[in-house]
PDB file of all heavy atoms in Angstrom:
ATOM      1  N   LEU E  81      11.432 -83.885 -18.548  1.00 91.00           N
ATOM      2  CA  LEU E  81      11.575 -84.682 -19.761  1.00 91.00           C
ATOM      3  C   LEU E  81      10.794 -85.998 -19.646  1.00 91.00           C
ATOM      4  O   LEU E  81      10.037 -86.363 -20.542  1.00 91.00           O
ATOM      5  CB  LEU E  81      13.052 -84.966 -20.040  1.00 91.00           C
ATOM      6  CG  LEU E  81      13.351 -85.768 -21.291  1.00 91.00           C
ATOM      7  CD1 LEU E  81      12.878 -85.045 -22.540  1.00 91.00           C
ATOM      8  CD2 LEU E  81      14.833 -86.066 -21.375  1.00 91.00           C
ATOM      9  N   GLU E  82      10.960 -86.674 -18.532  1.00 91.00           N
ATOM     10  CA  GLU E  82      10.342 -87.995 -18.362  1.00 91.00           C
ATOM     11  C   GLU E  82       8.851 -87.940 -18.052  1.00 91.00           C
ATOM     12  O   GLU E  82       8.099 -88.789 -18.508  1.00 91.00           O
ATOM     13  CB  GLU E  82      11.061 -88.769 -17.256  1.00 91.00           C
ATOM     14  CG  GLU E  82      12.424 -89.246 -17.657  1.00 91.00           C
ATOM     15  CD  GLU E  82      12.375 -90.258 -18.782  1.00 91.00           C
ATOM     16  OE1 GLU E  82      11.453 -91.103 -18.801  1.00 91.00           O
ATOM     17  OE2 GLU E  82      13.252 -90.206 -19.652  1.00 91.00           O
ATOM     18  N   LEU E  83       8.445 -86.970 -17.245  1.00 94.00           N
ATOM     19  CA  LEU E  83       7.054 -86.957 -16.777  1.00 94.00           C
ATOM     20  C   LEU E  83       6.137 -86.092 -17.634  1.00 94.00           C
ATOM     21  O   LEU E  83       4.942 -86.355 -17.717  1.00 94.00           O
ATOM     22  CB  LEU E  83       6.999 -86.495 -15.319  1.00 94.00           C
ATOM     23  CG  LEU E  83       7.862 -87.321 -14.349  1.00 94.00           C
ATOM     24  CD1 LEU E  83       7.847 -86.703 -12.969  1.00 94.00           C
ATOM     25  CD2 LEU E  83       7.413 -88.778 -14.319  1.00 94.00           C
ATOM     26  N   ALA E  84       6.702 -85.054 -18.262  1.00 92.00           N
ATOM     27  CA  ALA E  84       5.883 -84.180 -19.121  1.00 92.00           C
ATOM     28  C   ALA E  84       6.231 -84.347 -20.594  1.00 92.00           C
ATOM     29  O   ALA E  84       5.535 -83.812 -21.448  1.00 92.00           O
ATOM     30  CB  ALA E  84       6.055 -82.710 -18.698  1.00 92.00           C
ATOM     31  N   GLY E  85       7.314 -85.071 -20.891  1.00 91.00           N
ATOM     32  CA  GLY E  85       7.702 -85.299 -22.277  1.00 91.00           C
ATOM     33  C   GLY E  85       8.147 -84.044 -23.000  1.00 91.00           C
ATOM     34  O   GLY E  85       7.984 -83.924 -24.208  1.00 91.00           O
ATOM     35  N   ARG E  86       8.745 -83.102 -22.252  1.00 89.00           N
ATOM     36  CA  ARG E  86       9.144 -81.825 -22.845  1.00 89.00           C
ATOM     37  C   ARG E  86      10.569 -81.477 -22.423  1.00 89.00           C
ATOM     38  O   ARG E  86      11.058 -81.943 -21.399  1.00 89.00           O
ATOM     39  CB  ARG E  86       8.222 -80.714 -22.353  1.00 89.00           C
ATOM     40  CG  ARG E  86       6.764 -80.962 -22.712  1.00 89.00           C
ATOM     41  CD  ARG E  86       5.893 -79.871 -22.247  1.00 89.00           C
ATOM     42  NE  ARG E  86       6.099 -78.691 -23.091  1.00 89.00           N
ATOM     43  CZ  ARG E  86       5.470 -77.549 -22.923  1.00 89.00           C
ATOM     44  NH1 ARG E  86       4.597 -77.414 -21.943  1.00 89.00           N
ATOM     45  NH2 ARG E  86       5.692 -76.533 -23.722  1.00 89.00           N
ATOM     46  N   PHE E  87      11.190 -80.631 -23.219  1.00 91.00           N
ATOM     47  CA  PHE E  87      12.460 -80.025 -22.834  1.00 91.00           C
ATOM     48  C   PHE E  87      12.146 -78.679 -22.213  1.00 91.00           C
ATOM     49  O   PHE E  87      11.204 -77.998 -22.613  1.00 91.00           O
ATOM     50  CB  PHE E  87      13.370 -79.823 -24.048  1.00 91.00           C
ATOM     51  CG  PHE E  87      13.970 -81.100 -24.560  1.00 91.00           C
ATOM     52  CD1 PHE E  87      13.411 -81.759 -25.641  1.00 91.00           C
ATOM     53  CD2 PHE E  87      15.087 -81.637 -23.957  1.00 91.00           C
ATOM     54  CE1 PHE E  87      13.955 -82.933 -26.122  1.00 91.00           C
ATOM     55  CE2 PHE E  87      15.647 -82.813 -24.422  1.00 91.00           C
ATOM     56  CZ  PHE E  87      15.077 -83.469 -25.506  1.00 91.00           C
ATOM     57  N   ALA E  88      12.956 -78.285 -21.228  1.00 93.00           N
ATOM     58  CA  ALA E  88      12.753 -76.998 -20.567  1.00 93.00           C
ATOM     59  C   ALA E  88      14.097 -76.513 -20.042  1.00 93.00           C
ATOM     60  O   ALA E  88      15.052 -77.295 -19.907  1.00 93.00           O
ATOM     61  CB  ALA E  88      11.752 -77.132 -19.425  1.00 93.00           C
ATOM     62  N   VAL E  89      14.173 -75.221 -19.739  1.00 93.00           N
ATOM     63  CA  VAL E  89      15.381 -74.628 -19.173  1.00 93.00           C
ATOM     64  C   VAL E  89      15.029 -73.952 -17.850  1.00 93.00           C
ATOM     65  O   VAL E  89      13.906 -73.512 -17.639  1.00 93.00           O
ATOM     66  CB  VAL E  89      16.039 -73.610 -20.136  1.00 93.00           C
ATOM     67  CG1 VAL E  89      16.554 -74.317 -21.388  1.00 93.00           C
ATOM     68  CG2 VAL E  89      15.053 -72.514 -20.528  1.00 93.00           C
ATOM     69  N   THR E  90      16.013 -73.873 -16.983  1.00 96.00           N
ATOM     70  CA  THR E  90      15.813 -73.310 -15.653  1.00 96.00           C
ATOM     71  C   THR E  90      15.658 -71.796 -15.718  1.00 96.00           C
ATOM     72  O   THR E  90      16.512 -71.105 -16.249  1.00 96.00           O
ATOM     73  CB  THR E  90      17.020 -73.631 -14.748  1.00 96.00           C
ATOM     74  OG1 THR E  90      17.333 -75.011 -14.853  1.00 96.00           O
ATOM     75  CG2 THR E  90      16.736 -73.258 -13.305  1.00 96.00           C
ATOM     76  N   ARG E  91      14.561 -71.292 -15.162  1.00 96.00           N
ATOM     77  CA  ARG E  91      14.374 -69.849 -14.986  1.00 96.00           C
ATOM     78  C   ARG E  91      14.927 -69.437 -13.627  1.00 96.00           C
ATOM     79  O   ARG E  91      15.618 -68.439 -13.503  1.00 96.00           O
ATOM     80  CB  ARG E  91      12.907 -69.467 -15.074  1.00 96.00           C
ATOM     81  CG  ARG E  91      12.679 -67.976 -14.746  1.00 96.00           C
ATOM     82  CD  ARG E  91      11.218 -67.624 -14.601  1.00 96.00           C
ATOM     83  NE  ARG E  91      10.560 -67.671 -15.901  1.00 96.00           N
ATOM     84  CZ  ARG E  91       9.235 -67.691 -16.051  1.00 96.00           C
ATOM     85  NH1 ARG E  91       8.435 -67.691 -14.989  1.00 96.00           N
ATOM     86  NH2 ARG E  91       8.700 -67.732 -17.242  1.00 96.00           N
TER      87      ARG E  91
END
Side-chain angles (χ1 to χ4, degrees):
L81 181 61
E82 288 296 322
L83 304 174
R86 300 181 73 180
F87 286 98
V89 294
T90 312
R91 174 190 289 165

